[in-house]
Amino acid sequence: MRVGILGPLQVEVDGATVRIGGLRLRALLARLALDAGRPVPGESLCEAIWPEEAPENPSHALHSLVTRLRRALPEGSLVLRSEGYCLDVPPAAVDAARFEQLAVQGRQAFRDGRLREASVHLREALGLWRGPALADLSPRFPYAANTAVRLEELRLNVLEDRIDADLKVGADPASLAVELDELTAAHPFRERLRGLLINALHLDGRQPEALAAYERYRRFLADELGTDPGPELQDLHLAVLRGTRAPRGNLRAPLTSFIGREREQARLRGLLAENRLVTLVGPGGVGKTRLATSTVTEGWFVDLAPVSDPEEVPRAVAATLDLHESHRPGTLVDRLTEALGSSRTLIILDNCEHVIGAAARLADDLLGRCPSLTILATSREPLAITGEALLPVPPLAEDSAIRLFLDRARAAQPGFGPDPRVAAICSRLDGLPLAIELAAARLRSMPLDHLAARLDDRFRVLTNGSRTALPRHQTLRGVVAWSWDLLDDTERDAAERLAVFPATFTAEHAGTPLEILDALVEKSLLQLDGTRYRMLDTIREYGLERLTETGRLEPARRAFLARFLDLAEQAEPHLHGPGQLRWLSRLNAERDNLLAALRHASDSGDTGSAVRLAAALSPYWTIQGDHTEATHRLRTVLAMPGEAPARPKALFGLLLNATFAGGLSEIPADEPPAEGPLAAHVRALSRLGTDDIPAGLRALEPYLAHPDAWTRAMTWLIRSFLHGAANGSSGGSSVQARRDLAEAVTAFRRSGDRWGLSVSLASAAFAASATGDFDAAATALEESTRAAAELGPDNQQRVWLAMIRVHTGDLEKAESELRAVMADATSADHTTLARLVLADLARHRGELDEAAHHLSLADPSDVPSQVLFLSSQGHLDVARGDLDAARDHLTQALSLAATMPDMPMVAVLAVGLAQLLHRQGAATRAAELLGAAHALRGGPDARHPDVRSLTDALRGALGPGFETAYDKGRSHPAPLDLVTGLRLSPEPEPEPTARSGRS
């Protein structure tokens, strides 16, 4: 846990912000945080929280606040000791304590002359501030106001030391002068800030402004206090009068605005304050030159792009510094050293990549001989000499890229405004500033739609750069081709073959020697993040173009397909056993590459490879929970013509995912061509949703005791599906389904398959809760939660588990888990399911508008979520009294659910229909339907809020007649037919009295 008071009170637990409601509750936490790790007496806390008028019983009031605060904080973080209450966290967990610790370290380093070290500590200390200390508490609580004043004074002292250290190590005085100008305006009496401002202006070569700043302060003190500046400031004034310094450099004023890069600019200023050689590295067109020239305000800009001979690099620097030819003895480097001397000078060596060796040698020579020289280099690869600090320049972040496009677009097309298509264009251009500027300029001649459509041919479209720019910066192709031409033949061939990877990749799958990968990273054609490499889309498109031109594209794609087919088939057996998590992690990392391999196999008509890959990936897709998309992929692959030995395995994956997605009715029940457990699983699943359930059960019978634990577990799980589906037409199958699930749980636990274990336990929990066995449901739920959590935060079982909690009546825990799912979800399907259950929970609380809001944001994509959506909407319609809308929604849901082998879901609808009938005056028929729901799910589901409330209402309406009607529905020989054959517009029937016993 971390507590922040350097700004409004902020609490973070495991990286997530925790809201602390109530002003006095926040005041209590902040007071405890000031003494983190130490007990604070109750009297001190009461004085802090009630500074004006204490409550009648302060101890009781304090205890009440502490109790509320404990609920909001992690368990054990607020404890009671003999001396008082204690926030049991280390002092460093509170930003103010960390700030003071860093301030002491930094100010000591400053006094010792360790200026660069001081700057680092002081910058880190200042970076902890988010605004005025205790901003939300200081106006009301004196202890907070006093603390804020003390911390603010220390902050100013730290700020002054940091600026002083930066000036002494040669940071850009112009930017520091801007910062000091604002600070002196905010703190006009602080003499040290005035002195720092005057010194910064002087170091920036602005002597008249420095003298004017001193004179303004002298007059201010005379007018306000009737005194003069102190002796140190007067000495500084004399030093400015005696020595002048003209600005040094040739930097030009920019012609366009500089957008974004605030973080990179701050980082660059910090690096320049601490290092004498800083190199900006990144791919062509990423904006290295503009970042350099927009960050520093004084220096000599040396463009090395026109230099073709490495021996001419020193001459280019000399020409920029206006050093003419001389017959004096010594080399050109000697003359540069003499000219630079000991004066503080910044040289920007721009575009070093094509003369990298010569640029590195010159930088090394000059830095070693000129102690006050700083060099800022830009290159597509590092200079790689001692003392070099690297600052990688990444593509622009999305918001900055959009701002840049809009700015440049308005220049090309006045009046151009924000457009949602701009974000997609910037993303496709990798956030490269040059590409974005070239694209925006194209709006002079084509509308935005045409521009977006033609980006597939980006190298032909983006060709209209500035006429005064170098040829390689006038077109996007020129930028990339420049980098390509700097590669040797081996590097160029590797870069082109790696262009077939649409996503990040590892060295293992690259098929390229590690030293070549390292070289491509060094030259900014690849980016390395941890152990994975990535190629920008623009560079990748160029590589694909080169592969196409040389006839090497298809061989490269076949090699790519072979690598990932091998990975998928290597992973597939491990997904059913103890190695499941490790192999899931590997497949997750390669997800986009695996899908690209599948697309290539499909597009090229390679049926054998496509079916093999889809069959190998089907367990992975099943575990990931995106069953609708998995069903679509498998159906598409299986529709390809031609022989494919892996078809039965792919068909099993299709049927299993379609079972969860609710799409079995769209899949023909083809008989598998072979015998064995796989063929039996296919036959059994193909019987779901049909009237031939017994045939499916017979197919499974020989494999119920199979020696392989996973095969045995899957056999029992599928058997539970069949028995659950049979529950709609015959009694007793729900009991057998629970037995099947118990066997499946045992076998899945033995196999090590967390997914199968989680699904089986979740199904067992649903079944147990429906029959009223809540202890068994809770036990199954606990283990299912652990198994699902191991598979990742986005697993769909988490929503199912929350739904089970609703059935057990634990609504508070269900809502908490659903909110967590909403916070973590990366899949719209998971968000939708969570919203549907949240809508029901809001309806149970009587918050009908909130329920409607959740439903309005839901986007159901598969059949089960569509059924649940229509069911939730129908229940809400009944609660609102809109019975016609309820009838329409529940009828639609029933028509979808009737095609699914999921009787518990039909039971949910039966309850909704019973509510509707009750509101229409048909209480007896509603009770019969409630009994039918009991039969369909195999139990009463007595703790579910809808079942409980409707049961109470019908008992009150029918009296003893309720049991008669309920038993009639529960014992119906075909409860599914009773529900699906219901007439939903009955004539209102007379309500019997509670005492009559008539039904």
Side-chain angles (χ1 to χ4, degrees), residues 273-291:
E274 300 166 14
N275 303 274
R276 296 178 56 219
L277 172 60
V278 179
T279 304
L280 304 179
V281 292
V286 81
K288 301 182 293 294
T289 301
R290 189 64 190 275
L291 173 60

Side-chain angles (χ1 to χ4, degrees), residues 769-833:
S769 65
T771 59
D773 190 351
F774 298 113
D775 290 338
T779 301
L781 180 61
E782 183 178 348
E783 187 177 357
S784 179
T785 302
R786 290 197 300 269
E790 290 186 74
L791 295 170
D794 291 335
N795 201 273
Q796 190 168 338
Q797 280 81 11
R798 294 176 68 197
V799 181
W800 296 355
L801 299 176
M803 294 168 68
I804 294 171
R805 293 198 185 280
V806 175
H807 285 272
T808 60
D810 191 353
L811 305 189
E812 185 175 341
K813 190 67 174 290
E815 180 156 9
S816 174
E817 290 182 348
L818 289 168
R819 297 288 183 188
V821 169
M822 294 286 291
D824 296 340
T826 57
S827 164
D829 289 342
H830 300 164
T831 302
T832 289
L833 288 175

Side-chain angles (χ1 to χ4, degrees), residues 203 370 379 440 454 512 691 695 744 880 892:
L203 291 173
C370 305
S379 177
R454 294 186 60 189
T512 303
D691 295 330
R880 284 179 157 175
Q892 293 177 54

Side-chain angles (χ1 to χ4, degrees), residues 24 46 133 155 171 206 226 264 316 377 440 458 504 546 551 575 589 629 645 662 806 843 910 955:
R24 296 198 190 277
C46 289
R155 179 189 190 186
R206 295 149 65 182
E264 287 85 358
R458 66 187 72 191
T504 64
R546 295 278 302 221
L575 296 177
E629 184 60 32
V806 175
R843 174 174 55 82
R955 285 187 192 279

